Amino acid sequence: MAALHHPLPAHPPPAPRTRRSAADVRPASVARAVGPAPAADALGRDLALPVGTAVTAVAVTALSVTGQAGHRWLSLAAFALLTVGIAAAARPRLVPAVVLVSWMFFDGFVVHQHAELGWQQADRTSLWVLAGAGLAGAVCAAAARGRRAARAAGGGGAGTG
């Protein structure tokens, strides 16, 4: 009976160790400024839509339980502020979904109160208000990211001189 001979060694040889000089080692702040976004920031931006959906559901429940759902303009203002916050935290490509989820909760549970969506004038107006709020949140987040990137690139910012 012939023995099988494996061409690869059981344990690969260790990689050669090199010494790095002090010039090769960047401080953590520089590595973070020029490197990719931190994992926590990316995770937060990915989770903004599901967390925002849960917060919106809680807001609808609170408005329904307290009887404040009848005050449509006050409820719409609260939903607009909620949409601004969620859109600012979310990735830009998710902003339309944020607006749509916010409008569906508002229209289905605040305006029509029986989980029915409608398309009358009040429904269209609330969609436009929430779309504007989502756009405002996305623009504010983009401006903050641009300012942070300019500061990291060494451009400073307005008022630094």
Side-chain angles (χ1 to χ4, degrees), residues 83-122:
T83 303
V84 167
I86 297 168
R91 292 192 181 278
R93 67 173 187 235
L94 295 178
V95 171
V98 168
V99 169
L100 186 62
V101 166
S102 184
W103 177 76
M104 289 170 66
F105 271 104
F106 179 77
D107 193 56
F109 294 104
V110 174
V111 175
H112 296 289
Q113 297 182 355
H114 297 291
E116 298 172 355
L117 298 176
W119 197 244
Q120 287 82 25
Q121 182 62 37

mmCIF file of all heavy atoms in Angstrom, residues 83-122:
data_model
loop_
_atom_site.group_PDB
_atom_site.id
_atom_site.type_symbol
_atom_site.label_atom_id
_atom_site.label_comp_id
_atom_site.label_asym_id
_atom_site.label_seq_id
_atom_site.Cartn_x
_atom_site.Cartn_y
_atom_site.Cartn_z
ATOM 1 N N THR A 83 -38.193 63.007 10.621
ATOM 2 C CA THR A 83 -37.663 62.678 9.299
ATOM 3 C C THR A 83 -36.335 63.372 9.049
ATOM 4 O O THR A 83 -35.415 62.778 8.480
ATOM 5 C CB THR A 83 -38.685 63.059 8.209
ATOM 6 O OG1 THR A 83 -39.915 62.384 8.481
ATOM 7 C CG2 THR A 83 -38.204 62.666 6.826
ATOM 8 N N VAL A 84 -36.206 64.623 9.481
ATOM 9 C CA VAL A 84 -34.932 65.337 9.336
ATOM 10 C C VAL A 84 -33.826 64.588 10.077
ATOM 11 O O VAL A 84 -32.737 64.360 9.539
ATOM 12 C CB VAL A 84 -35.040 66.789 9.857
ATOM 13 C CG1 VAL A 84 -33.671 67.429 10.018
ATOM 14 C CG2 VAL A 84 -35.883 67.627 8.928
ATOM 15 N N GLY A 85 -34.099 64.179 11.296
ATOM 16 C CA GLY A 85 -33.092 63.482 12.092
ATOM 17 C C GLY A 85 -32.698 62.142 11.509
ATOM 18 O O GLY A 85 -31.512 61.798 11.442
ATOM 19 N N ILE A 86 -33.678 61.381 11.056
ATOM 20 C CA ILE A 86 -33.378 60.062 10.502
ATOM 21 C C ILE A 86 -32.649 60.198 9.163
ATOM 22 O O ILE A 86 -31.691 59.476 8.886
ATOM 23 C CB ILE A 86 -34.665 59.228 10.347
ATOM 24 C CG1 ILE A 86 -35.285 58.971 11.714
ATOM 25 C CG2 ILE A 86 -34.377 57.901 9.651
ATOM 26 C CD1 ILE A 86 -36.683 58.411 11.655
ATOM 27 N N ALA A 87 -33.090 61.149 8.332
ATOM 28 C CA ALA A 87 -32.440 61.347 7.030
ATOM 29 C C ALA A 87 -31.008 61.831 7.198
ATOM 30 O O ALA A 87 -30.129 61.472 6.416
ATOM 31 C CB ALA A 87 -33.237 62.335 6.190
ATOM 32 N N ALA A 88 -30.758 62.627 8.222
ATOM 33 C CA ALA A 88 -29.389 63.098 8.469
ATOM 34 C C ALA A 88 -28.486 61.953 8.914
ATOM 35 O O ALA A 88 -27.298 61.951 8.623
ATOM 36 C CB ALA A 88 -29.397 64.207 9.519
ATOM 37 N N ALA A 89 -29.047 60.986 9.602
ATOM 38 C CA ALA A 89 -28.245 59.862 10.083
ATOM 39 C C ALA A 89 -28.071 58.772 9.035
ATOM 40 O O ALA A 89 -27.134 57.983 9.110
ATOM 41 C CB ALA A 89 -28.889 59.260 11.333
ATOM 42 N N ALA A 90 -28.973 58.714 8.049
ATOM 43 C CA ALA A 90 -28.966 57.619 7.069
ATOM 44 C C ALA A 90 -28.019 57.906 5.909
ATOM 45 O O ALA A 90 -27.579 59.032 5.701
ATOM 46 C CB ALA A 90 -30.382 57.406 6.534
ATOM 47 N N ARG A 91 -27.733 56.863 5.166
ATOM 48 C CA ARG A 91 -26.984 57.018 3.920
ATOM 49 C C ARG A 91 -27.853 57.795 2.930
ATOM 50 O O ARG A 91 -29.069 57.647 2.934
ATOM 51 C CB ARG A 91 -26.631 55.658 3.337
ATOM 52 C CG ARG A 91 -25.641 54.897 4.168
ATOM 53 C CD ARG A 91 -25.114 53.691 3.410
ATOM 54 N NE ARG A 91 -24.174 52.944 4.212
ATOM 55 C CZ ARG A 91 -22.887 53.262 4.341
ATOM 56 N NH1 ARG A 91 -22.421 54.298 3.722
ATOM 57 N NH2 ARG A 91 -22.095 52.533 5.093
ATOM 58 N N PRO A 92 -27.241 58.603 2.066
ATOM 59 C CA PRO A 92 -28.042 59.404 1.119
ATOM 60 C C PRO A 92 -28.964 58.570 0.228
ATOM 61 O O PRO A 92 -30.068 59.003 -0.083
ATOM 62 C CB PRO A 92 -26.982 60.122 0.283
ATOM 63 C CG PRO A 92 -25.790 60.195 1.165
ATOM 64 C CD PRO A 92 -25.819 58.948 1.996
ATOM 65 N N ARG A 93 -28.547 57.383 -0.152
ATOM 66 C CA ARG A 93 -29.400 56.567 -1.018
ATOM 67 C C ARG A 93 -30.634 56.036 -0.289
ATOM 68 O O ARG A 93 -31.578 55.572 -0.915
ATOM 69 C CB ARG A 93 -28.606 55.420 -1.631
ATOM 70 C CG ARG A 93 -28.172 54.407 -0.616
ATOM 71 C CD ARG A 93 -27.531 53.192 -1.243
ATOM 72 N NE ARG A 93 -27.300 52.228 -0.195
ATOM 73 C CZ ARG A 93 -26.139 51.692 0.058
ATOM 74 N NH1 ARG A 93 -25.107 51.995 -0.682
ATOM 75 N NH2 ARG A 93 -26.008 50.835 1.046
ATOM 76 N N LEU A 94 -30.628 56.072 1.045
ATOM 77 C CA LEU A 94 -31.758 55.589 1.826
ATOM 78 C C LEU A 94 -32.767 56.683 2.164
ATOM 79 O O LEU A 94 -33.822 56.386 2.715
ATOM 80 C CB LEU A 94 -31.265 54.940 3.119
ATOM 81 C CG LEU A 94 -30.441 53.672 2.969
ATOM 82 C CD1 LEU A 94 -29.980 53.173 4.325
ATOM 83 C CD2 LEU A 94 -31.243 52.599 2.259
ATOM 84 N N VAL A 95 -32.454 57.933 1.849
ATOM 85 C CA VAL A 95 -33.340 59.042 2.213
ATOM 86 C C VAL A 95 -34.727 58.896 1.588
ATOM 87 O O VAL A 95 -35.733 59.132 2.273
ATOM 88 C CB VAL A 95 -32.684 60.400 1.885
ATOM 89 C CG1 VAL A 95 -33.661 61.542 2.041
ATOM 90 C CG2 VAL A 95 -31.475 60.613 2.793
ATOM 91 N N PRO A 96 -34.876 58.520 0.300
ATOM 92 C CA PRO A 96 -36.239 58.319 -0.215
ATOM 93 C C PRO A 96 -37.022 57.265 0.567
ATOM 94 O O PRO A 96 -38.224 57.425 0.794
ATOM 95 C CB PRO A 96 -36.022 57.886 -1.668
ATOM 96 C CG PRO A 96 -34.700 58.449 -2.034
ATOM 97 C CD PRO A 96 -33.881 58.395 -0.778
ATOM 98 N N ALA A 97 -36.366 56.214 0.999
ATOM 99 C CA ALA A 97 -37.048 55.191 1.797
ATOM 100 C C ALA A 97 -37.439 55.749 3.160
ATOM 101 O O ALA A 97 -38.521 55.440 3.672
ATOM 102 C CB ALA A 97 -36.160 53.960 1.953
ATOM 103 N N VAL A 98 -36.581 56.574 3.742
ATOM 104 C CA VAL A 98 -36.899 57.207 5.025
ATOM 105 C C VAL A 98 -38.152 58.069 4.879
ATOM 106 O O VAL A 98 -39.072 58.008 5.705
ATOM 107 C CB VAL A 98 -35.706 58.056 5.525
ATOM 108 C CG1 VAL A 98 -36.108 58.949 6.680
ATOM 109 C CG2 VAL A 98 -34.546 57.163 5.916
ATOM 110 N N VAL A 99 -38.207 58.867 3.820
ATOM 111 C CA VAL A 99 -39.363 59.737 3.582
ATOM 112 C C VAL A 99 -40.617 58.891 3.368
ATOM 113 O O VAL A 99 -41.676 59.198 3.928
ATOM 114 C CB VAL A 99 -39.100 60.662 2.373
ATOM 115 C CG1 VAL A 99 -40.363 61.377 1.937
ATOM 116 C CG2 VAL A 99 -38.010 61.665 2.704
ATOM 117 N N LEU A 100 -40.506 57.854 2.571
ATOM 118 C CA LEU A 100 -41.665 57.016 2.280
ATOM 119 C C LEU A 100 -42.190 56.323 3.534
ATOM 120 O O LEU A 100 -43.401 56.304 3.773
ATOM 121 C CB LEU A 100 -41.312 55.979 1.213
ATOM 122 C CG LEU A 100 -42.469 55.120 0.712
ATOM 123 C CD1 LEU A 100 -43.518 55.990 0.040
ATOM 124 C CD2 LEU A 100 -41.963 54.063 -0.247
ATOM 125 N N VAL A 101 -41.303 55.785 4.357
ATOM 126 C CA VAL A 101 -41.732 55.117 5.592
ATOM 127 C C VAL A 101 -42.400 56.125 6.529
ATOM 128 O O VAL A 101 -43.461 55.860 7.104
ATOM 129 C CB VAL A 101 -40.539 54.421 6.279
ATOM 130 C CG1 VAL A 101 -40.866 54.034 7.700
ATOM 131 C CG2 VAL A 101 -40.119 53.202 5.482
ATOM 132 N N SER A 102 -41.805 57.290 6.651
ATOM 133 C CA SER A 102 -42.371 58.327 7.518
ATOM 134 C C SER A 102 -43.753 58.745 7.025
ATOM 135 O O SER A 102 -44.693 58.875 7.812
ATOM 136 C CB SER A 102 -41.426 59.521 7.568
ATOM 137 O OG SER A 102 -41.894 60.492 8.454
ATOM 138 N N TRP A 103 -43.892 58.948 5.713
ATOM 139 C CA TRP A 103 -45.187 59.351 5.164
ATOM 140 C C TRP A 103 -46.227 58.252 5.333
ATOM 141 O O TRP A 103 -47.390 58.532 5.659
ATOM 142 C CB TRP A 103 -45.052 59.714 3.688
ATOM 143 C CG TRP A 103 -46.374 60.064 3.085
ATOM 144 C CD1 TRP A 103 -47.073 61.218 3.243
ATOM 145 C CD2 TRP A 103 -47.176 59.225 2.259
ATOM 146 N NE1 TRP A 103 -48.249 61.151 2.556
ATOM 147 C CE2 TRP A 103 -48.344 59.936 1.937
ATOM 148 C CE3 TRP A 103 -47.012 57.944 1.749
ATOM 149 C CZ2 TRP A 103 -49.342 59.410 1.135
ATOM 150 C CZ3 TRP A 103 -48.006 57.413 0.948
ATOM 151 C CH2 TRP A 103 -49.153 58.154 0.644
ATOM 152 N N MET A 104 -45.829 56.998 5.119
ATOM 153 C CA MET A 104 -46.793 55.910 5.248
ATOM 154 C C MET A 104 -47.318 55.787 6.680
ATOM 155 O O MET A 104 -48.516 55.582 6.889
ATOM 156 C CB MET A 104 -46.174 54.596 4.775
ATOM 157 C CG MET A 104 -45.986 54.559 3.271
ATOM 158 S SD MET A 104 -45.027 53.171 2.673
ATOM 159 C CE MET A 104 -46.063 51.805 3.075
ATOM 160 N N PHE A 105 -46.447 55.928 7.653
ATOM 161 C CA PHE A 105 -46.907 55.896 9.045
ATOM 162 C C PHE A 105 -47.804 57.095 9.335
ATOM 163 O O PHE A 105 -48.848 56.961 9.967
ATOM 164 C CB PHE A 105 -45.724 55.887 10.019
ATOM 165 C CG PHE A 105 -45.234 54.512 10.349
ATOM 166 C CD1 PHE A 105 -44.066 54.023 9.784
ATOM 167 C CD2 PHE A 105 -45.917 53.699 11.241
ATOM 168 C CE1 PHE A 105 -43.597 52.763 10.086
ATOM 169 C CE2 PHE A 105 -45.459 52.439 11.555
ATOM 170 C CZ PHE A 105 -44.296 51.964 10.966
ATOM 171 N N PHE A 106 -47.395 58.280 8.886
ATOM 172 C CA PHE A 106 -48.193 59.477 9.150
ATOM 173 C C PHE A 106 -49.551 59.379 8.467
ATOM 174 O O PHE A 106 -50.588 59.614 9.087
ATOM 175 C CB PHE A 106 -47.444 60.732 8.678
ATOM 176 C CG PHE A 106 -48.230 61.986 8.901
ATOM 177 C CD1 PHE A 106 -48.320 62.554 10.158
ATOM 178 C CD2 PHE A 106 -48.905 62.591 7.854
ATOM 179 C CE1 PHE A 106 -49.066 63.694 10.379
ATOM 180 C CE2 PHE A 106 -49.647 63.734 8.056
ATOM 181 C CZ PHE A 106 -49.735 64.293 9.324
ATOM 182 N N ASP A 107 -49.562 59.046 7.184
ATOM 183 C CA ASP A 107 -50.810 59.015 6.437
ATOM 184 C C ASP A 107 -51.714 57.880 6.889
ATOM 185 O O ASP A 107 -52.924 58.057 7.014
ATOM 186 C CB ASP A 107 -50.511 58.886 4.940
ATOM 187 C CG ASP A 107 -51.737 59.166 4.096
ATOM 188 O OD1 ASP A 107 -52.319 60.261 4.252
ATOM 189 O OD2 ASP A 107 -52.117 58.291 3.304
ATOM 190 N N GLY A 108 -51.134 56.742 7.158
ATOM 191 C CA GLY A 108 -51.954 55.585 7.515
ATOM 192 C C GLY A 108 -52.488 55.607 8.928
ATOM 193 O O GLY A 108 -53.591 55.111 9.177
ATOM 194 N N PHE A 109 -51.723 56.199 9.861
ATOM 195 C CA PHE A 109 -52.141 56.112 11.262
ATOM 196 C C PHE A 109 -52.523 57.448 11.887
ATOM 197 O O PHE A 109 -53.209 57.470 12.899
ATOM 198 C CB PHE A 109 -51.034 55.461 12.098
ATOM 199 C CG PHE A 109 -50.808 54.030 11.735
ATOM 200 C CD1 PHE A 109 -49.706 53.661 10.987
ATOM 201 C CD2 PHE A 109 -51.701 53.051 12.130
ATOM 202 C CE1 PHE A 109 -49.491 52.335 10.641
ATOM 203 C CE2 PHE A 109 -51.498 51.729 11.784
ATOM 204 C CZ PHE A 109 -50.383 51.371 11.034
ATOM 205 N N VAL A 110 -52.074 58.555 11.318
ATOM 206 C CA VAL A 110 -52.448 59.856 11.870
ATOM 207 C C VAL A 110 -53.582 60.467 11.052
ATOM 208 O O VAL A 110 -54.591 60.889 11.598
ATOM 209 C CB VAL A 110 -51.236 60.813 11.927
ATOM 210 C CG1 VAL A 110 -51.647 62.198 12.371
ATOM 211 C CG2 VAL A 110 -50.176 60.251 12.862
ATOM 212 N N VAL A 111 -53.438 60.496 9.739
ATOM 213 C CA VAL A 111 -54.466 61.114 8.896
ATOM 214 C C VAL A 111 -55.689 60.213 8.801
ATOM 215 O O VAL A 111 -56.803 60.645 9.069
ATOM 216 C CB VAL A 111 -53.899 61.429 7.489
ATOM 217 C CG1 VAL A 111 -54.997 61.951 6.581
ATOM 218 C CG2 VAL A 111 -52.772 62.437 7.592
ATOM 219 N N HIS A 112 -55.515 58.953 8.428
ATOM 220 C CA HIS A 112 -56.667 58.067 8.208
ATOM 221 C C HIS A 112 -56.956 57.155 9.404
ATOM 222 O O HIS A 112 -58.038 56.592 9.474
ATOM 223 C CB HIS A 112 -56.455 57.240 6.940
ATOM 224 C CG HIS A 112 -56.389 58.097 5.724
ATOM 225 N ND1 HIS A 112 -57.483 58.739 5.210
ATOM 226 C CD2 HIS A 112 -55.345 58.457 4.936
ATOM 227 C CE1 HIS A 112 -57.134 59.441 4.158
ATOM 228 N NE2 HIS A 112 -55.826 59.281 3.974
ATOM 229 N N GLN A 113 -56.037 56.970 10.302
ATOM 230 C CA GLN A 113 -56.179 56.294 11.594
ATOM 231 C C GLN A 113 -56.589 54.824 11.546
ATOM 232 O O GLN A 113 -56.824 54.226 12.576
ATOM 233 C CB GLN A 113 -57.142 57.064 12.496
ATOM 234 C CG GLN A 113 -56.623 58.438 12.815
ATOM 235 C CD GLN A 113 -57.518 59.196 13.739
ATOM 236 O OE1 GLN A 113 -58.594 58.733 14.090
ATOM 237 N NE2 GLN A 113 -57.080 60.373 14.137
ATOM 238 N N HIS A 114 -56.708 54.220 10.387
ATOM 239 C CA HIS A 114 -57.056 52.803 10.319
ATOM 240 C C HIS A 114 -56.114 52.064 9.376
ATOM 241 O O HIS A 114 -56.519 51.113 8.717
ATOM 242 C CB HIS A 114 -58.503 52.615 9.870
ATOM 243 C CG HIS A 114 -59.488 53.193 10.828
ATOM 244 N ND1 HIS A 114 -59.707 52.666 12.077
ATOM 245 C CD2 HIS A 114 -60.299 54.277 10.729
ATOM 246 C CE1 HIS A 114 -60.612 53.398 12.705
ATOM 247 N NE2 HIS A 114 -60.992 54.374 11.907
ATOM 248 N N ALA A 115 -54.878 52.507 9.308
ATOM 249 C CA ALA A 115 -53.845 51.904 8.463
ATOM 250 C C ALA A 115 -54.227 51.896 6.992
ATOM 251 O O ALA A 115 -53.884 50.991 6.254
ATOM 252 C CB ALA A 115 -53.499 50.498 8.943
ATOM 253 N N GLU A 116 -54.938 52.924 6.576
ATOM 254 C CA GLU A 116 -55.317 53.077 5.175
ATOM 255 C C GLU A 116 -54.573 54.277 4.597
ATOM 256 O O GLU A 116 -54.525 55.332 5.219
ATOM 257 C CB GLU A 116 -56.822 53.305 5.038
ATOM 258 C CG GLU A 116 -57.658 52.158 5.550
ATOM 259 C CD GLU A 116 -59.140 52.501 5.583
ATOM 260 O OE1 GLU A 116 -59.498 53.663 5.295
ATOM 261 O OE2 GLU A 116 -59.920 51.609 5.916
ATOM 262 N N LEU A 117 -54.008 54.099 3.424
ATOM 263 C CA LEU A 117 -53.349 55.207 2.752
ATOM 264 C C LEU A 117 -54.335 55.854 1.796
ATOM 265 O O LEU A 117 -55.170 55.197 1.203
ATOM 266 C CB LEU A 117 -52.119 54.721 1.979
ATOM 267 C CG LEU A 117 -51.011 54.085 2.822
ATOM 268 C CD1 LEU A 117 -49.913 53.560 1.914
ATOM 269 C CD2 LEU A 117 -50.450 55.078 3.803
ATOM 270 N N GLY A 118 -54.233 57.170 1.659
ATOM 271 C CA GLY A 118 -55.106 57.907 0.755
ATOM 272 C C GLY A 118 -54.286 58.820 -0.129
ATOM 273 O O GLY A 118 -53.063 58.939 0.016
ATOM 274 N N TRP A 119 -54.963 59.469 -1.051
ATOM 275 C CA TRP A 119 -54.267 60.363 -1.964
ATOM 276 C C TRP A 119 -55.075 61.637 -2.192
ATOM 277 O O TRP A 119 -55.159 62.162 -3.284
ATOM 278 C CB TRP A 119 -53.967 59.636 -3.284
ATOM 279 C CG TRP A 119 -52.921 60.323 -4.099
ATOM 280 C CD1 TRP A 119 -53.080 60.879 -5.327
ATOM 281 C CD2 TRP A 119 -51.556 60.556 -3.749
ATOM 282 N NE1 TRP A 119 -51.904 61.435 -5.756
ATOM 283 C CE2 TRP A 119 -50.948 61.246 -4.807
ATOM 284 C CE3 TRP A 119 -50.780 60.255 -2.627
ATOM 285 C CZ2 TRP A 119 -49.619 61.634 -4.796
ATOM 286 C CZ3 TRP A 119 -49.459 60.643 -2.621
ATOM 287 C CH2 TRP A 119 -48.893 61.319 -3.691
ATOM 288 N N GLN A 120 -55.688 62.148 -1.134
ATOM 289 C CA GLN A 120 -56.369 63.428 -1.220
ATOM 290 C C GLN A 120 -55.344 64.551 -1.054
ATOM 291 O O GLN A 120 -54.153 64.303 -0.941
ATOM 292 C CB GLN A 120 -57.454 63.535 -0.130
ATOM 293 C CG GLN A 120 -58.683 62.693 -0.385
ATOM 294 C CD GLN A 120 -58.491 61.260 0.037
ATOM 295 O OE1 GLN A 120 -57.674 60.966 0.902
ATOM 296 N NE2 GLN A 120 -59.220 60.353 -0.579
ATOM 297 N N GLN A 121 -55.819 65.780 -1.017
ATOM 298 C CA GLN A 121 -54.914 66.930 -0.921
ATOM 299 C C GLN A 121 -54.068 66.892 0.353
ATOM 300 O O GLN A 121 -52.876 67.176 0.317
ATOM 301 C CB GLN A 121 -55.722 68.240 -0.983
ATOM 302 C CG GLN A 121 -54.869 69.492 -0.940
ATOM 303 C CD GLN A 121 -53.918 69.574 -2.123
ATOM 304 O OE1 GLN A 121 -54.258 69.200 -3.238
ATOM 305 N NE2 GLN A 121 -52.711 70.064 -1.880
ATOM 306 N N ALA A 122 -54.650 66.525 1.482
ATOM 307 C CA ALA A 122 -53.888 66.472 2.743
ATOM 308 C C ALA A 122 -52.786 65.417 2.671
ATOM 309 O O ALA A 122 -51.691 65.616 3.214
ATOM 310 C CB ALA A 122 -54.825 66.165 3.905
#
